Amino acid sequence: TQHLAGLINDLLDLAKIESGRVEVKSRHVSLSGLVHEVVEALRPVAAEKVVALETTVDEPSILVWADRDKINQVLMNLIGNAIKFTPVQGRITISASRNGGEGVQVSVSDSGPGVPPDEKEKIFAKFYQIAEANGENSKGTGLGLAISKALVELHGGKIWVESEKGGGSTFYFTLPVSAPQNSRSC
């Protein structure tokens, strides 16, 4: 039931994004507070797999110009995926630091199996899933990264992955620290 409810919610979110009906209500948000909140919410899931969650936020007082709920969803997707793909006794590190004067860069690194080079761009497509070593797709909708990409881009940011097969993955995304000059009340 939970799996079906998740699939339906992902499909509804994607339909809203694609139809342009997602309203981004940006304001200044404490990035370290948001990261801490999401990590604490997912800590029990990581503990079940004996996966360590660590955070490193260079400036605890960093504020970003974002819709708190939307960035919460992005972090839940990225950290949730990292937990899913990190083996028992693995490690996940969530970091945030200034990316020049106008933005912040957030990263989620894991010690999982990594993303094959030919699949790095494909993983952000709707319904795409990397086949596991046994040839099966992971349990999921294949929509989390597509939704995350769309939400980050609605904020004026970018999202990408750096990875080596067998060497873990690091997902990055950027967010602005202030409202755009020609802001139309995001």
Side-chain angles (χ1 to χ4, degrees), residues 25-98:
K25 298 176 184 172
S26 293
R27 62 183 184 277
H28 282 109
V29 174
S30 166
L31 185 59
S32 64
L34 185 55
V35 167
H36 177 74
E37 181 182 306
V38 172
V39 166
E40 290 309 310
L42 292 174
R43 195 171 296 282
V45 179
E48 282 182 26
K49 280 187 76 176
V50 194
V51 170
L53 287 178
E54 298 176 350
T55 59
T56 306
V57 179
D58 288 350
E59 283 180 56
S61 62
I62 284 182
L63 297 177
V64 292
W65 186 253
D67 182 315
R68 185 173 185 28
D69 293 339
K70 305 291 187 280
I71 300 307
N72 181 303
Q73 186 174 2
V74 171
L75 287 167
M76 289 292 263
N77 280 334
L78 295 179
I79 299 169
N81 279 351
I83 293 168
K84 185 184 339 180
F85 292 105
T86 297
V88 172
Q89 297 186 352
R91 178 170 309 285
I92 298 167
T93 304
I94 301 94
S95 302
S97 60
R98 286 201 182 268

Side-chain angles (χ1 to χ4, degrees), residues 85-153:
F85 292 105
T86 297
V88 172
Q89 297 186 352
R91 178 170 309 285
I92 298 167
T93 304
I94 301 94
S95 302
S97 60
R98 286 201 182 268
N99 181 12
E102 297 298 313
V104 171
Q105 180 172 292
V106 178
S107 65
V108 177
S109 299
D110 65 53
S111 57
V115 177
D118 60 327
E119 298 194 53
K120 285 182 185 176
E121 291 303 316
K122 296 175 188 176
I123 61 173
F124 293 102
K126 295 178 284 194
F127 302 109
Y128 190 82
Q129 294 180 325
I130 295 174
E132 293 185 26
N134 59 8
E136 294 181 21
N137 284 345
S138 67
K139 294 177 184 169
T141 61
L143 293 173
L145 290 176
I147 290 169
S148 294
K149 181 177 193 264
L151 292 175
V152 167
E153 289 174 350

Side-chain angles (χ1 to χ4, degrees), residues 135-182:
E136 294 181 21
N137 284 345
S138 67
K139 294 177 184 169
T141 61
L143 293 173
L145 290 176
I147 290 169
S148 294
K149 181 177 193 264
L151 292 175
V152 167
E153 289 174 350
L154 282 171
H155 284 82
K158 296 184 303 184
I159 189 169
W160 69 97
V161 63
E162 292 179 4
S163 182
E164 286 185 31
K165 188 141 176 76
S169 300
T170 301
F171 285 82
Y172 297 91
F173 68 94
T174 59
L175 293 170
V177 293
S178 59
Q181 293 277 336
N182 51 0

